[in-house]
């Protein structure tokens, strides 16, 4: 049996049961592409009438979006009525496929589960082939909400009486995750509120510093923190009730009093105890008795071959090679000296614990050793400090031994101290929950003050006034670059290159065009700056190869889209997204035309140059 | 159904059903007894009785539909004489043979195109629209139950009052789709789009944008840059607002909601989430009016789950045709058997299954 159903068989099976049109969710883009390839020689072609309908629908879309016409998947779409739809495709292609799906022309679309939220077209059937998706680096199980989001695409209103979610297994599938997802109640969602630098600047621009705490309190984050705080407060209330019988006694803070007394009382006999454990000195020295080390024993020297622990008592032991060639076992405690001399030793797991060659070598070395050898200076950690003598001596001064409530104290102290500890813990966490957002805000304010975007009285400086207009990721890096005049006189291509490398956050490897020397030295500076900013803001990837792709597109206006795609191994859709995101970053820089006219001008030129070919055709 | 009738209906249900209804509606419902639970249910959904009612009906229907697994003997008997099925035959529009097991036929029953019906809005859709004339509304319904209809109608009503409407979606692709869709409905001159790199018809009464763009507009307005569009703003529709839990971008939704001008109504459309009541409570706590939660879990087009074996054999996934909510282990014996077989065969040799 194959590990998973062949795409051709899958479509045939769905057609047989009239379960088309279907959306098939696969693990990766590559899986989608391979599924499409497998239809190249399939004989499950559509009847000519339907092929014509698809062709006509395609022609209508192509009239709007010419870039669709050259897509390599078109023959398969026409012949068999299946298509792939994932982030590696151009938006125009995705729109075309969505349009065909809406018109009911296609039998199946292969999509990636990662993009399930972006798949905004329904079908009669949804095919699920996996129970986990890749998030950042790892595979995580689908949540109930995600499974329902995926399954929710099944069943078109007005076109289907029922929708079907069909699970077909592939390796590593966990059926439990999917059945739970289908039948379960979706998870609660939690706020992901973070405080960003542009947020701080914009808040402080519009509101005085004292009002900000009130604004932060309006966030969903604070709402949820308050919910948790209220829960804790209720717990605190019950703790208060439970604490009532343990109120003040003869001394007001009897719990602390008793604890100190108890500790002092325990400390004294403890010191007379015979230590069962090995001494700290031995522990420290044992680390140095590694194989090859020369040690001094009561009678003569030896070379350590291995260290181990004895079976019963787990005493530290070593196997030693003696000058007469014997291998003896002795407790590590009997080692008198550890010398500052060690030899290479090729360890093995069985007697004589090293290879024959190194055994002979060690034996030779041992006999050749000079009579005087330096010993290793080994620092021995001091024993933990006992209670200050003052307390121990004042044991007689404790009122407890003669106190009338002593039996009661002794009985209650365990429960009472646990309750009090819990009380203190809850109080602390309530404080943290109530104030954490404000603290995080203050941290950001301090950073911005340090860099000179805010005055010490938390007003915007001149730099802050324009910096608040940069409201994108890595805003601190970008504003610092502008202040350092990194782009002074830089032409649009360089600016675009740098912005693209800041905007791109994907580490998919690939082959890319060569980078120009000007851009590469500029990127070097950007990297240095990003490095120095890393305590305050996570540095972007700053990939030179990505910068080169964007630079090429700007620097060479005759370059066609196909030409650009041939320069790299990046998928079309990824290049498109890279340029679109770069556009967004550039248009943010363009908003600075009031304060940085030449930079804004350069950004405007870059924007105009980016928008051509495929990028002009589409939103 | 009046409150009294609903209360009587609830009282007839076993307490387990009530607890399922209370999930997400009543905080710490597992503590309450039956009497108290009914009270709490009615009290907490006094704003949204229709939603509660539809959930009750859905649960009832599901419970009635449950005990009907067909006897295994008839199924095997039925299958024996039929010829072995050939793999991957292409039969375009042929009627399918009566080959599959009885239960599979039952599972596939109803497949097909419904007779065209005049569009009648669901009660929850009407409820959401009615509530929107007074206050902010949070809608949490399953994917594909017709949130767009609410958005379109709400936008139409606001535009009739000469109010500006802003519609935001999390993804640029979705914005584009909606732009095309809304342009068809309202006419191209009424709809504009603003995304990070595209601006078209920016003064139209219905503006579609990504949430980030709206957040930026609100920030600019707060710092004194006057934008006429925000003065006449009557309605802000945040689609896919479950994105508020997105680790990277969720904060943008919060900022948008916090700074949304108070004269504009908020309409939050979200897929099914576990705690829509929290979102509604939060809105109530920061906005001037008590916001309304409209939720239900019943799908417009019922969903069924199936299992397709790599050898092409199809079986229902669950014992019942409908998906048994809350019972992930009510698997169809056939699907269970096939999956075990699959696991045995694909597991690396020398390792046992558990």
């Amino acid at each position: 049996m194959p590990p998973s159903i062949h795409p051709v068989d899958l479509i045939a099976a769905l057609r047989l049961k009239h379960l088309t049109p279907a959306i098939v969710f696969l693990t990766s883009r590559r899986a989608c592409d391979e599924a499409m390839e497998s239809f190249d020689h399939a004989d499950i072609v559509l009847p000519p009438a339907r092929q014509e309908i698809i062709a006509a629908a395609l022609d209508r879309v192509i009239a709007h979006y010419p870039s669709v016409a050259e897509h390599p998947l078109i023959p398969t779409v026409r012949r068999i009525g299946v298509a792939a739809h994932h982030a590696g495709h151009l938006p125009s292609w995705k729109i075309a496929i969505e349009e065909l799906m809406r018109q009911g022309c296609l039998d199946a679309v292969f999509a990636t589960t990662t993009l399930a939220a972006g798949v905004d077209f329904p079908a009669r059937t949804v095919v699920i082939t996996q129970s986990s998706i890749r998030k950042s680096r790892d595979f995580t199980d689908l949540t109930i909400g995600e499974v329902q989001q995926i399954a929710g695409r099944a069943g078109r209103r007005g076109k289907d009486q029922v929708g079907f979610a069909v699970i077909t297994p592939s390796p590593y599938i966990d059926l439990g995750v999917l059945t739970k997802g289908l039948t379960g109640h979706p998870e609660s969602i939690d706020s992901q509120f973070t405080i960003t630098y542009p947020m701080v600047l914009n808040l402080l621009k519009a509101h005085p510093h004292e009002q900000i705490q009130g604004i932060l309190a309006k966030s969903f984050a604070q709402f949820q923190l308050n919910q948790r705080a209220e829960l804790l407060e209720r717990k605190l209330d019950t703790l208060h009730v439970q604490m009532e019988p343990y109120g003040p006694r003869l001394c007001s803070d009897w719990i602390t009093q008793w604890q100190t007394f108890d500790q002092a009382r325990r400390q004294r006999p403890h010191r007379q105890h015979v230590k069962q454990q090995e001494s700290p000195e031995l522990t420290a020295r044992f680390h140095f008795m590694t194989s090859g080390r020369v040690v001094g024993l009561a009678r003569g020297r030896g070379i350590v071959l291995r260290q181990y622990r004895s079976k019963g008592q787990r005493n530290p032991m070593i196997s030693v090679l003696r000058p007469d060639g014997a291998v003896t076992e002795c407790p590590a405690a009997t080692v008198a000296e550890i010398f500052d001399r060690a030899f290479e030793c090729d360890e093995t797991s069985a007697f004589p614990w090293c290879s024959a060659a190194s055994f002979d070598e060690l034996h030779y070395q041992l006999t050749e050793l000079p009579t005087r050898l330096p010993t290793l200076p080994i620092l021995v950690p001091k024993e933990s400090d006992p209670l200050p003598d003052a307390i121990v001596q004042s044991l007689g001064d404790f009122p407890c031994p003669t106190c009338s409530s002593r039996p009661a104290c002794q009985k209650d102290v365990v429960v009472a101290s646990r309750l009090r500890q819990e009380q203190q813990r809850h109080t602390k966490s309530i404080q943290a929950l109530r104030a954490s957002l404000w603290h995080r805000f203050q941290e950001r304010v301090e950073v911005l003050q340090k860099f000179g975007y805010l005055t010490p009285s938390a007003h915007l400086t001149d730099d802050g006034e324009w910096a608040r207009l940069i409201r994108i990721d890595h805003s601190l890096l970008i504003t610092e670059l502008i202040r350092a005049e990194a782009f002074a006189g830089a032409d649009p291509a360089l600016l675009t290159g740098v912005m693209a490398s800041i905007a791109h956050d994907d580490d998919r490897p690939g082959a890319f065009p060569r980078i120009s020397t000007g851009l590469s030295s500029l990127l070097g500076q950007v990297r240095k700056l990003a490095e120095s900013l890393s305590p305050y803001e996570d540095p972007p990837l700053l990939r030179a190869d990505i910068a080169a792709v964007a630079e090429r597109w700007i620097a060479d206006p005759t370059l066609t889209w196909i030409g650009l795609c041939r320069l790299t191994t990046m998928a079309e859709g990824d290049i498109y997204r890279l340029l679109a995101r770069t556009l967004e970053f550039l248009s943010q820089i363009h908003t600075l035309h009031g304060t940085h006219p030449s930079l804004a001008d350069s950004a405007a030129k870059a924007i105009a140059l980016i928008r051509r070919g495929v990028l002009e055709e589409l939103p | 159904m009046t409150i009294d009738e609903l209360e009587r209906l609830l009282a007839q249900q076993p307490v387990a059903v009530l607890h399922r209804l209370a999930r997400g509606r009543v905080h710490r419902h597992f503590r309450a007894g039956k009497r108290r639970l009914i009270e709490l249910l009615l009290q907490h959904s006094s704003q949204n009785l229709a939603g509660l009612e539809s959930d009750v009906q859905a649960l009832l229907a599901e419970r009635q539909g449950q005990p009907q697994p067909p006897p295994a003997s008839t199924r095997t008997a039925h299958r024996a004489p039929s010829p072995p099925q050939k793999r991957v035959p292409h039969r375009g529009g042929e009627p399918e043979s009566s080959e599959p097991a009885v239960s599979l036929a039952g599972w596939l029953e109803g497949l097909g195109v419904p007779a065209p019906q005049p569009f009648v809005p669901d009660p929850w859709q009407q409820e959401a629209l009615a509530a929107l004339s007074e206050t902010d509304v949070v809608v949490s319904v399953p994917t594909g139950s017709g949130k767009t209809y609410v958005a379109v109608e709400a936008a139409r009503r606001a535009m009739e009052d000469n109010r500006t409407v802003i519609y935001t979606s999390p993804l640029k692709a979705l914005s584009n789709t909606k732009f095309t869709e809304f342009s068809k409905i309202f006419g191209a001159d009424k709809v504009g789009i603003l995304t990070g790199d595209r601006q078209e018809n920016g003064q139209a009464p219905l503006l579609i944008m990504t949430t980030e763009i709206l957040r930026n507009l609100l920030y600019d307005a707060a710092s004194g840059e006057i934008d006429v569009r925000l003065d006449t703003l009557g309605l802000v529709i945040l689609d896919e607002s479950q994105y508020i839990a997105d680790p990277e971008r969720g904060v943008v939704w919060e900022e948008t909601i916090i700074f949304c001008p108070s004269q504009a109504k908020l309409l939050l459309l979200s897929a099914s989430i576990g705690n829509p009541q929290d979102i509604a409570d939060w809105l109530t706590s920061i906005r001037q009016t008590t916001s309304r939660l409209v939720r239900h879990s019943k799908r417009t087009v019922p969903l069924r789950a199936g299992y397709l074996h790599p050898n092409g054999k199809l079986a229902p996934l669950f014992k019942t045709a409908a998906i048994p909510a809350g019972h992930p282990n009510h698997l169809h014996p056939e699907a269970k058997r096939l999956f075990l077989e699959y696991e045995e065969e694909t597991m690396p040799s020398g390792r046992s299954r558990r």
Side-chain angles (χ1 to χ4, degrees), chain A residues 552-564 609 612:
Chain A
R552 256 326 153 79
W553 183 244
I554 302 296
D556 181 5
T558 56
L559 187 65
T560 58
W561 181 256
I562 309 260
L564 181 68
L609 283 167
R612 62 191 160 91

Side-chain angles (χ1 to χ4, degrees), chain A residues 1-78:
Chain A
M1 184 168 56
S4 56
I5 192 164
H6 190 272
V8 178
D9 297 351
L10 172 66
I11 301 306
L14 293 175
R15 276 187 189 161
L16 183 69
K17 296 281 190 275
H18 302 288
L19 288 175
T20 55
I23 307 173
V24 184
F25 285 104
L26 297 174
T27 356
S28 60
R29 295 179 192 185
R30 181 192 260 184
C32 293
D33 293 338
E34 281 170 359
M36 287 306 288
E37 271 168 36
S38 67
F39 284 98
D40 281 350
H41 306 289
D43 54 353
I44 55 167
V45 289
L46 290 172
R50 281 205 53 198
Q51 291 197 24
E52 273 164 34
I53 296 176
I54 294 179
L58 267 176
D59 287 342
R60 281 196 296 277
V61 182
I62 290 171
H64 274 285
Y65 309 112
S67 64
V68 175
E70 291 145 23
H71 203 281
L73 289 180
I74 288 215
T76 319
V77 174
R78 282 202 177 149

Side-chain angles (χ1 to χ4, degrees), chain A residues 1-6 8-10 12-19 43-45 47 95 98-99 102 117-118 120 124 145 148-149 151-171 173-175 179-180 182-194 196 198-199 202-203 205-207 215 217-221 223-224 227 231 234 468-469 471 505 580-581 583-584 587-588 611 619, chain B residues 23-24 27-28 85 87-94 96 100 104 107-115 119-120 122 125 143-146 171-172 174 176-178 196-198 215-216 219-220 222-223 225 240 242-247 251 254-255 258-259 271-275 278-279 281-282 285-286 295 299-310 312 314 317-318 323-328 331 339 341-343 345-346:
Chain A
M1 184 168 56
S4 56
I5 192 164
H6 190 272
V8 178
D9 297 351
L10 172 66
L14 293 175
R15 276 187 189 161
L16 183 69
K17 296 281 190 275
H18 302 288
L19 288 175
D43 54 353
I44 55 167
V45 289
I95 289 180
E98 285 163 25
E99 192 53 40
R102 269 189 214 109
D120 188 27
R124 173 171 291 170
Q148 294 190 351
Q149 176 99 354
R153 301 285 168 216
R156 298 160 297 175
R157 205 181 167 140
K159 287 192 199 160
D160 288 314
Q161 286 182 6
V162 277
F164 295 90
V166 173
I167 294 171
T168 182
S170 63
I173 198 171
D174 185 345
L175 198 60
T179 52
K180 234 178 254 152
L182 285 169
T183 55
H185 190 75
E187 293 88 354
S188 297
I189 57 173
D190 288 323
S191 169
Q192 303 287 341
F193 198 74
T194 48
T196 58
M199 185 199 286
N202 281 294
L203 282 176
K205 166 75 181 168
H207 308 274
I215 293 172
K218 286 166 90 178
S219 64
F220 187 46
F223 179 83
Q224 290 197 313
Q227 278 186 332
L231 212 71
R234 246 172 278 149
R468 77 183 171 87
L469 296 173
R471 295 160 185 151
D505 53 5
R581 216 165 126 75
L583 261 182
E584 254 172 67
S587 64
Q588 293 265 309
R611 275 188 214 270
Chain B
R23 232 183 268 164
H27 191 56
R28 295 161 85 80
Q85 197 184 2
R87 266 184 73 187
V88 210
H90 172 60
R91 282 178 275 178
E94 277 176 53
E96 59 178 282
L104 181 60
W107 181 76
L108 284 167
E109 200 180 287
L111 183 152
V113 183
F119 177 78
V120 183
D122 291 343
Q125 289 173 324
T143 318
S145 17
L171 302 172
K172 217 183 285 175
L174 290 181
N176 289 323
T177 319
K178 288 290 183 239
D197 54 341
R198 181 192 194 188
R215 191 264 319 257
N216 291 352
Y219 268 145
D220 288 340
S223 53
E225 281 152 52
E240 308 286 339
Q242 74 273 14
Y243 257 76
I244 200 168
D246 187 88
V251 57
E254 292 195 36
E255 290 171 278
I258 296 171
F259 293 115
S272 285
I273 52 170
N275 53 347
D278 282 355
I279 306 265
D281 288 347
W282 168 53
S285 74
I286 65 167
R295 64 177 293 186
R299 286 174 46 96
T300 325
V301 179
L303 184 66
R304 294 177 191 169
Y307 175 81
L308 181 66
H309 206 51
L314 185 68
L317 182 62
F318 294 109
I323 289 176
H327 298 286
L331 289 185
F339 186 70
E341 194 181 292
Y342 174 82
E343 278 201 319
E345 283 194 29
T346 52

